[in-house]
Amino acid sequence: MQKNRRILTALLFLIALGSSMSSIFLPIYLYNLSTSFKGILLIYLVYFLGGLIAGVFSNLIAHKASLNSFIILRGIIEPVIILLFRYCPILKFPLFPVMLVYGFITFGFWLSLDTYTVLSTDKKKRGNQQGNIYMGMWLASIAAPFVAGLIISRFGYAQMFWVSFIFVFIGGALSFFVKTDLKIKKKINYFPKITGEIGKLNIITFLRGFGFGITTFLLPLFVFFISDNEVVVGTAGMIFGVTNVFATILSGHLIDAYNKKKVLSVLHALMVIAWIILGLSTDANSIYYILVILVFIYQLINIPLNTVFFNQIEKKDVLSYISERMTSFILGSVAVYLLGLFFGFEVLFIICGVAAFLALFVINKLEL
């Protein structure tokens, strides 16, 4: 298990280094190509649709082609997609099919990675061991946005996409060294369960998906709207990366050392406050500080929620349950993006706060 954890850490580092360089600037890139805000939301809704397809058919694919097929696919296909983004203004092809495939391989990758994480961590040390695995990703995310911002400002988007291509390709190649003897059921995962402990966790994950849709793709665009400067976006992304590293280290210790239900409750209560304050803020300078705090709290929840869920499923049909959970997560993001077609950032921030508040009620019903 330790060997798998080391490979997963290195794999995540390389893929995150390459993928973060392009993904954080993709909404801005699309905006600079005269894509409207609503147009960007529609493009990402197709991306999420690709993720839903991956969740529904993950068992069939993994049963036929092995669990790490999703990781291999990302290592092969994402570099090609990155280059397609680079040549989009020249070739002028429709982005919707590209984003559908992009969503499929990205979320498929996380289905495999989460499954490997369950199989490669010990129940009593799962929080810390997850933190160690994800550390590679967050360390890469510190450097990637800032470096990408510098490359874009000096050389342009074309060179940035080429550098991103190389790192993702190398990371994908490492997946051949990850081993598991997991037997995967041949089935289709239709809808997430909403009953029992796992059902409650799926509901919490759905509500957390609201925040994911904002923090992952729209916050960089929000910062760009405020600053109108890619270097500022890259610097903010680097700071968010540092914040995520500290949050990952701290949350791994918290969930292993303290009552899991209390940890989740306190963190979600803080999340409610952070979203509401951000939604009500009007001063541009203070917004940057609020964003850092919000990203920190959002990341604090990740490992504790993962740990509670992984403990519930480790002796069950792991991939099926992770697929249902992923579907819940994506549906939350889809919901907030659909709302984004009618409301601006401030309202979306408040909505995310309401979603975190509703999650508190479900957490109180958990039997941990």
Side-chain angles (χ1 to χ4, degrees), residues 18-34:
S19 186
S20 296
M21 289 178 67
S22 58
S23 63
I24 190 173
F25 285 100
L26 182 57
I28 300 168
Y29 178 66
L30 295 172
Y31 184 75
N32 287 334
L33 292 177
S34 301

Side-chain angles (χ1 to χ4, degrees), residues 16 20 26 65 73 116 120 161 195 201 263 286 348 352:
S20 296
L26 182 57
L73 278 174
Y116 279 129
S120 304
F161 283 128
T195 58
L201 290 169
V263 169
S286 64
L348 294 182
C352 287

Side-chain angles (χ1 to χ4, degrees), residues 1-22:
M1 287 201 298
Q2 187 176 10
K3 182 181 179 181
N4 267 1
R5 290 198 296 270
R6 289 174 179 172
I7 296 172
L8 290 172
T9 301
L11 182 154
L12 264 179
F13 174 80
L14 289 167
I15 288 183
L17 188 60
S19 186
S20 296
M21 289 178 67
S22 58

Side-chain angles (χ1 to χ4, degrees), residues 80-333:
V80 176
I81 289 175
I82 290 170
L83 291 185
L84 287 175
F85 289 143
R86 181 260 177 269
Y87 291 109
C88 177
I90 300 171
L91 301 177
K92 295 182 179 179
F93 52 83
L95 277 176
F96 290 116
V98 177
M99 291 301 286
L100 185 72
V101 175
Y102 194 21
F104 178 86
I105 61 167
T106 302
F107 285 103
F109 167 86
W110 280 105
L111 288 168
S112 291
L113 196 84
D114 282 352
T115 303
Y116 279 129
T117 301
V118 175
L119 302 174
S120 304
T121 53
D122 304 310
K123 187 172 184 177
K124 292 183 179 180
K125 300 178 181 178
R126 183 158 282 142
N128 280 309
Q129 289 175 351
Q130 276 185 86
N132 293 334
I133 292 172
Y134 295 155
M135 193 59 64
M137 176 176 63
W138 295 124
L139 288 173
S141 69
I142 294 173
F146 185 67
V147 172
L150 287 178
I151 294 173
I152 291 168
S153 64
R154 295 189 179 186
F155 305 106
Y157 279 93
Q159 285 72 20
M160 184 274 292
F161 283 128
W162 272 108
V163 174
S164 176
F165 169 95
I166 294 169
F167 284 119
V168 174
F169 185 80
I170 296 172
L174 286 178
S175 65
F176 288 100
F177 299 97
V178 182
K179 305 296 181 183
T180 180
D181 56 356
L182 177 69
K183 293 182 179 180
I184 299 169
K185 290 184 178 180
K186 185 179 180 181
K187 57 177 288 191
I188 295 177
N189 305 306
Y190 289 105
F191 298 104
K193 292 178 177 62
I194 57 173
T195 58
E197 286 294 281
I198 291 176
K200 294 171 189 174
L201 290 169
N202 283 338
I203 294 172
I204 296 169
T205 301
F206 165 76
L207 295 168
R208 178 170 168 75
F210 279 66
F212 172 80
I214 301 296
T215 57
T216 305
F217 303 116
L218 295 189
L219 276 194
L221 189 61
F222 178 65
V223 173
F224 182 73
F225 284 166
I226 297 173
S227 64
D228 195 28
N229 189 306
E230 283 93 346
V231 175
V232 173
V233 177
T235 303
M238 181 184 68
I239 294 171
F240 293 159
V242 174
T243 299
N244 286 328
V245 168
F246 284 110
T248 299
I249 295 171
L250 177 59
S251 61
H253 288 288
L254 283 175
I255 199 62
D256 285 343
Y258 298 100
N259 180 275
K260 292 175 173 54
K261 187 172 180 177
K262 289 182 179 179
V263 169
L264 287 175
S265 295
V266 171
L267 293 180
H268 275 81
L270 293 173
M271 190 83 268
V272 173
I273 296 170
W275 279 120
I276 299 300
I277 291 175
L278 179 61
L280 298 177
S281 297
T282 55
D283 180 63
N285 292 324
S286 64
I287 283 176
Y288 289 112
Y289 297 104
I290 298 168
L291 286 175
V292 173
I293 294 171
L294 184 141
V295 169
F296 178 71
I297 297 171
Y298 188 83
Q299 182 56 33
L300 275 176
I301 296 173
N302 187 44
I303 288 180
L305 192 57
N306 278 358
T307 300
V308 170
F309 184 78
F310 292 167
N311 287 348
Q312 288 284 334
I313 67 169
E314 64 177 345
K315 296 181 179 180
K316 299 178 181 178
D317 183 6
V318 177
L319 180 58
S320 296
Y321 284 112
I322 286 178
S323 298
E324 291 181 13
R325 179 175 181 251
M326 183 71 75
T327 300
S328 302
F329 195 56
I330 295 171
L331 287 174
S333 297

Side-chain angles (χ1 to χ4, degrees), residues 30-89:
L30 295 172
Y31 184 75
N32 287 334
L33 292 177
S34 301
T35 308
S36 67
F37 179 66
K38 289 184 178 180
I40 292 171
L41 291 177
L42 289 172
I43 287 171
Y44 274 98
L45 281 170
V46 175
Y47 170 85
F48 290 129
L49 176 60
L52 290 174
I53 294 171
V56 171
F57 296 104
S58 59
N59 278 63
L60 290 179
I61 295 168
H63 178 82
K64 183 73 175 179
S66 83
L67 183 60
N68 68 345
S69 59
F70 283 111
I71 301 177
I72 296 168
L73 278 174
R74 183 172 183 180
I76 296 172
I77 297 177
E78 184 169 354
V80 176
I81 289 175
I82 290 170
L83 291 185
L84 287 175
F85 289 143
R86 181 260 177 269
Y87 291 109
C88 177

